[in-house]
Amino acid sequence: MVDKIRHVVCPYCGCLCDDIMIEVTDGKISGVENACTLGAHKFLDDAGNRLKGPIMRTGDEWVDISYEEAIEFAVKVLSEADRPLLYGWSGCATETQAIGAHLAELIGGVVDSTTSVCHGPSILAIQEVGHPGCTLGQVKNRADTIIYWGSNPIEAHPRHLSRYTNYADAYFLHNAFRERRVIVVDVRKTPTAEIATEFVQLEQGGDYHVLSALRAIIRGRGDIIPDMVAGVPKTQLIRVADMCKKAKFGALFFGVGITMTGGKYKNIRNAIEFVDELNRHTKWTISPMRGHSNVYGSNEVFTWITGYPFAVDYSRGIAFYNPGETTAVDILARKEADAALIMASDPGAHFPRICCEHLAKIPTILFDPYPSATTHLCTLQIPSAVNGIDAAGTAYRMDGIPIRTRKFIETGYPTDTELMEKIYDRIRQVKENA
Ligand code: SF4
């Protein structure tokens, strides 16, 4: 029997597209409409790739164990650890993230999300100078000028342009496709640069200089700008500044190309101040292109519960936040963590080698439905239902809008929220009885 399920939310990237149509045949996903290639693969490749149940490393072998045994192992490891690290949290529901934050407090651990290796610098800049942001709906309906800076949505967030910017209809623009101008700033000619009205190719690490030059031009001090700034001709900078000033509503989106290059959070602070400068003349907003489906949610939830958005250390009995010291990479590189719980992320594919080597030496418990690079480092892997496929939950879109993901098939896998609740309750009992 074939069922067509409409208004499914894609749980892959921070766009959280909520117009997906899924075809289910005999309880299995057989078709996907409206999703991009990334989202379609997330749905269509799902069934064949999942682990059937928890696996535990014993010597050189993987052994199948029950969920009950997996929970017992996690409880023992985490309750006995002196410096446990709870990392990831970007592909799970906010309900699970909340348990993670409370668990960190209970066991005196560190809770950090993938934010610390993507938009952590953006948050540091926003904490300093604020955030003139808006919803993606505002961008879609009002923006006539878009900047993608250090971000390549055609490959990383493929429907961002069709739902919200270049190819989207707009309520307040007569002919949105013709009226909109797209400026791409990047170190290489990406596929997004190919469709841009204006492509600004700067030298690696030149973001801060180019932003400063644009700010000076908008302030009326173009006379102090040299002929070339970080590989960009002054004539082009003047042209771009003019386009930005003439916008009726502009939206600057920035990616890890600017957060994870030289200058880091100072680049974002400069970008926010560039937008602030433009707001003396017209209306502009600035927003990060968040990658994982619910990385924004991790910042929201951790802030409600701990007061801080990521990298929260409870080893002193109170929440302590000092990115660069309490972030997962720093704790692993210093070989401090003596146990790790990795939730819905893949540090084995993204962390420096020294961190991966340490994760492989300590008891590492991985929550992931699929084998990943981190599988090769972990001691125990626990597959759970996938948020947005066989589990429902809340996720935050990249503009901070909470969206309820849908469960549309039944697979029998427990959700990570259920598993984490059990682990939390049992560790609390252990602590109370100690
Ligand atoms: S843009 Fe992102 S959320 Fe939308 S369908 Fe593609 S992967 Fe899914």
Side-chain angles (χ1 to χ4, degrees):
M1 188 180 125
V2 180
D3 284 327
K4 291 205 169 188
I5 300 144
R6 299 183 190 280
H7 309 302
V8 171
V9 177
C10 173
Y12 191 87
C13 85
C15 287
L16 285 177
C17 296
D18 53 4
D19 59 345
I20 310 298
M21 204 281 290
I22 301 284
E23 198 175 88
V24 176
T25 307
D26 298 330
K28 294 220 163 55
I29 300 169
S30 53
V32 179
E33 284 179 26
N34 295 339
C36 68
T37 311
L38 300 176
H41 276 287
K42 173 83 181 171
F43 289 113
L44 291 170
D45 295 349
D46 172 64
N49 285 336
R50 291 203 205 183
L51 290 180
K52 294 199 166 43
I55 51 171
M56 171 85 95
R57 189 190 297 277
T58 47
D60 292 337
E61 306 261 307
W62 286 108
V63 175
D64 294 330
I65 62 170
S66 68
Y67 277 98
E68 190 53 37
E69 290 169 320
I71 289 168
E72 279 310 312
F73 180 81
V75 168
K76 182 168 174 14
V77 163
L78 294 172
S79 57
E80 290 177 359
D82 287 327
R83 189 114 170 96
L85 171 67
L86 314 178
Y87 174 77
W89 311 103
S90 297
C92 61
T94 54
E95 292 80 354
T96 312
Q97 293 165 346
I99 302 169
H102 287 301
L103 180 60
E105 183 173 15
L106 183 68
I107 60 178
V110 173
V111 63
D112 189 21
S113 77
T114 58
T115 303
S116 61
V117 290
C118 60
H119 277 283
S122 314
I123 291 178
L124 298 186
I126 289 167
Q127 286 171 334
E128 280 195 357
V129 286
H131 176 213
C134 71
T135 66
L136 288 170
Q138 292 276 4
V139 172
K140 173 192 182 299
N141 285 313
R142 295 179 186 276
D144 59 0
T145 306
I146 310 289
I147 299 178
Y148 286 112
W149 196 305
S151 118
N152 176 20
I154 283 188
E155 289 182 320
H157 302 84
R159 296 187 73 215
H160 197 269
L161 290 108
S162 57
R163 275 172 66 84
Y164 304 115
T165 64
N166 199 38
Y167 304 115
D169 287 336
Y171 190 80
F172 295 108
L173 299 180
H174 177 66
N175 186 337
F177 183 63
R178 287 189 191 283
E179 284 179 51
R180 273 203 191 101
R181 286 153 301 174
V182 175
I183 301 163
V184 171
V185 184
D186 216 317
V187 294
R188 65 190 172 91
K189 193 160 194 185
T190 62
T192 309
E194 301 275 359
I195 57 102
T197 321
E198 183 85 31
F199 172 45
V200 180
Q201 186 161 15
L202 43 68
E203 289 167 358
Q204 179 82 40
D207 304 81
Y208 192 91
H209 307 79
V210 171
L211 283 161
S212 299
L214 287 170
R215 284 178 64 193
I217 294 166
I218 288 160
R219 264 291 166 110
R221 292 306 312 273
D223 56 308
I224 60 169
I225 304 300
D227 290 342
M228 289 288 276
V229 179
V232 184
K234 179 177 180 179
T235 48
Q236 188 180 27
L237 290 171
I238 291 171
R239 189 165 64 241
V240 167
D242 192 49
M243 283 168 74
C244 293
K245 268 173 82 172
K246 284 186 177 147
K248 289 198 181 80
F249 188 113
L252 191 160
F253 292 100
F254 62 96
V256 290
I258 179 169
T259 65
M260 286 293 155
T261 186
K264 290 221 166 181
Y265 90 97
K266 289 290 185 189
N267 291 337
I268 311 307
R269 180 176 170 148
N270 213 4
I272 293 171
E273 287 173 336
F274 164 58
V275 165
D276 191 33
E277 201 73 57
L278 285 166
N279 276 323
R280 293 164 193 256
H281 302 272
T282 179
K283 173 69 186 167
W284 270 81
T285 66
I286 179 168
S287 307
M289 297 287 282
R290 305 305 300 267
H292 293 82
S293 58
N294 197 21
V295 63
Y296 197 113
S298 71
N299 305 139
E300 291 286 306
V301 172
F302 293 171
T303 303
W304 304 333
I305 294 171
T306 73
Y308 302 108
F310 63 102
V312 189
D313 183 352
Y314 273 104
S315 61
R316 295 162 174 82
I318 54 155
F320 175 72
Y321 166 72
N322 191 19
E325 180 191 342
T326 57
T327 23
V329 165
D330 302 284
I331 284 170
L332 290 170
R334 293 196 303 266
K335 304 189 192 324
E336 281 176 22
D338 57 353
L341 184 152
I342 310 295
M343 173 61 73
S345 71
D346 191 9
H350 303 109
F351 274 14
R353 179 178 177 151
I354 188 172
C355 301
C356 295
E357 285 173 351
H358 190 63
L359 278 173
K361 283 187 190 138
I362 60 176
T364 295
I365 300 152
L366 171 64
F367 280 80
D368 197 323
Y370 314 102
S372 70
T374 306
T375 302
H376 301 287
L377 312 174
C378 74
T379 318
L380 165 67
Q381 181 165 353
I382 308 175
S384 57
V386 179
N387 190 28
I389 295 181
D390 49 342
T394 309
Y396 278 70
R397 205 169 62 184
M398 63 165 71
D399 55 347
I401 301 297
I403 291 179
R404 190 78 186 159
T405 64
R406 295 181 63 187
K407 169 181 177 174
F408 58 86
I409 54 172
E410 184 58 69
T411 58
Y413 283 96
T415 66
D416 45 34
T417 311
E418 292 163 350
L419 292 165
M420 286 298 296
E421 270 171 357
K422 284 186 182 165
I423 290 170
Y424 179 88
D425 288 343
R426 290 204 200 164
I427 292 179
R428 196 172 60 180
Q429 281 169 13
V430 170
K431 297 271 177 198
E432 283 171 1
N433 295 336

